[in-house]
Amino acid sequence: MSLCFSLNVSTLNSPKYQSHKAHFSSQFINQIQVNPLSHSLPSLTSNSSLPFKFSVKRINPIRASTATSVEATQFSFRNKNPKDINIAVVGSTGYIGKFVVKELINRGFNVIAVAREKSGIKGKNSKEETLNQLQGANVCFSDVTKLETLEKSLNGFGVSVDVVVSCLASRTGGVKDSWKIDYEATKNSLVAGKKNGAKHFVLLSAICVQKPLLEFQRAKLKFEAELMREAEMDSGFTYSIVRPTAFFKSLGGQVELVKDGKPYVMFGDGNLCACKPISEEDLASFIADCVLSEDKINQILPIGGPGKALTPLEQGEILFRLLGKKPNFLKVPIGIMDFAIGVLDFLVKIFPSMEDAAEFGKIGRYYAAESMLVLDPDTGAYSAERTPSYGEDTLEEFFEKVLREGMAGQELGEQAIF
């Protein structure tokens, strides 16, 4: 069963995969075996069952699309005013999703925010808290991991969907969670969206899928391939795949520790990995641009924040300068992580239930050594020059804010890897 709510509130001001900073998690989940051949998209032409509806009075109701038939004019929604465009956002309460919802609302779109009944880190938020967090949106409490439930949720509004924006991402990066969310739930969003008339799909992916060594990267790439194939088969359907570099919060885990006098920890000489970090507000703005911008149609769009690429060494130097302290770095040999991963891989052969622990170690190793920049196909090296910049928010400004206010609201939660 799914419940849909529409809120009578004024539009909020828009403040503006999660790229992890290398950390190890202690969370274990069971393995799931996924046969890629078994995950082809179900038929997009089958009839949906009748929805369960819950309605409340709206001051600004969402509007039925003027083009609801399969034969509708190609890309017709792009010719409408934002107030006449219905956008379904899945992953709406996630770290980036909630900013995307606010940005779309501020741009005048009609937003259908799909959320879990208990959202947030470890499901700590109640329905009331979620409704408050998503003020201005038409909120559907649903389950994106169940296609039939999601279809009923979207059908319940009685209007067509023009665009689907997916901000879904695995919370742990474990094997089971990666395929359940990064592939299956995201696929459900595509299928349900198209059945309800969607002509465009904006996908929040990750820049690290360029070099897929991890399970969540493989899951994301599998869905990306199916999304592109769907557009090839349906000339009236388009997509935009957004691959951001590191998020600010993934680089802020050591701010308070350094403020308290601890050293800044980095692997190797601090130059093993670099990124052009982007704020949640700037990324949300770029994703919102993808709704109507024709130059972003059927494109894979890597994106970073403003300024030069920063290595961990340079990030630490910024932090010490803001604190007025002499730099104090703790350089950890990357070989320590290789040894730990080797031990975990050995233990998995004896205790299969530890597979996710080994995967978490590999995630930590990946982000300790691989840059979050565009991989130059000509040289096979990461390129800051080829990584587009967007927005105005800088990492230094973010560090200044965290030093003043702390990391409240920036918690990594289940995505934390140390």
Side-chain angles (χ1 to χ4, degrees):
M1 179 180 294
S2 60
L3 299 178
C4 301
F5 297 83
S6 181
L7 303 179
N8 300 330
V9 294
S10 60
T11 301
L12 298 179
N13 290 326
S14 174
K16 272 212 244 248
Y17 177 15
Q18 46 180 295
S19 296
H20 298 280
K21 186 68 175 172
H23 291 280
F24 277 53
S25 173
S26 61
Q27 298 173 5
F28 295 79
I29 55 177
N30 295 327
Q31 173 189 10
I32 184 171
Q33 297 294 335
V34 179
N35 180 356
L37 296 178
S38 68
H39 291 285
S40 58
L41 288 172
S43 170
L44 299 178
T45 58
S46 61
N47 293 325
S48 302
S49 55
L50 293 176
F52 172 87
K53 299 183 179 180
F54 180 95
S55 61
V56 294
K57 182 180 179 181
R58 303 190 191 105
I59 293 177
N60 298 309
I62 61 176
R63 298 166 174 80
S65 171
T66 58
T68 58
S69 69
V70 176
E71 295 78 14
T73 304
Q74 188 174 11
F75 310 146
S76 62
F77 79 90
R78 299 181 190 279
N79 300 319
K80 302 177 188 176
N81 291 322
K83 64 184 179 64
D84 297 318
I85 298 175
N86 301 325
I87 302 177
V89 180
V90 292
S92 62
T93 59
Y95 174 61
I96 298 300
K98 58 179 177 282
F99 287 97
V100 170
V101 168
K102 292 176 182 177
E103 181 68 22
L104 291 172
I105 290 171
N106 284 350
R107 294 193 185 196
F109 295 107
N110 293 311
V111 179
I112 302 171
V114 181
R116 295 175 297 162
E117 292 194 3
K118 290 189 175 295
S119 65
I121 298 173
K122 296 183 179 180
K124 67 178 182 179
N125 295 337
S126 66
K127 286 184 179 180
E128 291 73 19
E129 290 170 320
T130 299
L131 288 169
N132 185 60
Q133 185 181 76
L134 299 174
Q135 291 182 59
N138 301 277
V139 179
C140 266
F141 291 103
S142 189
D143 187 348
V144 293
T145 67
K146 298 178 180 178
L147 178 58
E148 183 179 359
T149 299
L150 183 58
E151 288 175 350
K152 288 181 178 179
S153 299
L154 295 179
N155 284 338
F157 281 100
V159 299
S160 66
V161 171
D162 296 296
V163 180
V164 175
V165 177
S166 173
C167 296
L168 293 171
S170 165
R171 289 188 170 272
T172 66
V175 176
K176 178 179 179 180
D177 198 48
S178 293
W179 285 100
K180 182 177 182 180
I181 303 301
D182 291 301
Y183 176 72
E184 293 180 4
T186 313
K187 178 191 67 177
N188 289 344
S189 304
L190 170 61
V191 175
K194 287 207 70 178
K195 285 186 177 180
N196 280 274
K199 296 298 182 183
H200 187 55
F201 194 100
V202 182
L203 173 68
L204 174 59
S205 186
I207 203 166
C208 62
V209 300
Q210 302 169 107
K211 192 174 181 179
L213 302 178
L214 305 169
E215 207 66 26
F216 81 86
Q217 296 165 337
R218 298 183 186 103
K220 285 181 180 294
L221 280 175
K222 180 171 173 58
F223 177 75
E224 284 189 12
E226 294 194 9
L227 178 62
M228 289 185 279
R229 187 159 57 248
E230 193 66 33
E232 290 176 358
M233 294 187 297
D234 182 352
S235 62
F237 177 78
T238 58
Y239 65 84
S240 298
I241 297 174
V242 181
R243 291 180 176 176
T245 179
F247 302 159
F248 281 2
K249 76 167 182 178
S250 67
L251 305 179
Q254 297 191 68
V255 175
E256 294 180 338
L257 293 174
V258 172
K259 182 179 179 180
D260 292 338
K262 305 294 191 304
Y264 188 93
V265 181
M266 57 190 182
F267 289 92
D269 61 0
N271 293 300
L272 283 175
C273 55
C275 63
K276 298 178 75 171
I278 188 168
S279 71
E280 59 269 29
E281 294 94 339
D282 282 340
L283 179 55
S285 178
F286 183 82
I287 290 172
D289 289 347
C290 293
V291 171
L292 295 178
S293 296
E294 295 192 8
D295 62 348
K296 295 178 175 59
I297 291 174
N298 294 346
Q299 298 289 321
I300 293 177
L301 303 162
I303 194 67
K308 66 185 293 290
L310 299 171
T311 65
L313 178 62
E314 291 170 319
Q315 296 164 28
E317 289 173 341
I318 291 173
L319 184 53
F320 285 114
R321 185 177 71 250
L322 291 174
L323 287 167
K325 293 184 177 183
K326 181 180 178 180
N328 178 20
F329 293 100
L330 176 60
K331 299 179 180 180
V332 180
I334 195 71
I336 290 179
M337 300 188 75
D338 293 331
F339 175 78
I341 292 169
V343 171
L344 288 169
D345 280 341
F346 172 77
L347 291 174
V348 167
K349 297 176 182 178
I350 305 172
F351 306 104
S353 62
M354 294 186 66
E355 182 177 44
D356 279 341
E359 186 72 9
F360 298 149
K362 292 171 185 175
I363 293 173
R365 171 64 168 79
Y366 190 100
Y367 288 110
E370 303 291 339
S371 291
M372 297 297 106
L373 300 170
V374 169
L375 197 60
D376 188 332
D378 298 326
T379 65
Y382 292 106
S383 172
E385 291 72 24
R386 285 177 174 262
T387 306
S389 296
Y390 182 91
E392 300 179 352
D393 298 338
T394 66
L395 183 64
E396 183 168 344
E397 292 169 340
F398 172 75
F399 282 168
E400 288 178 329
K401 180 179 179 181
V402 174
L403 288 172
R404 292 193 312 267
E405 305 173 10
M407 284 287 287
Q410 297 286 339
E411 298 87 358
L412 287 170
E414 294 169 278
Q415 293 177 355
I417 304 179
F418 111 85

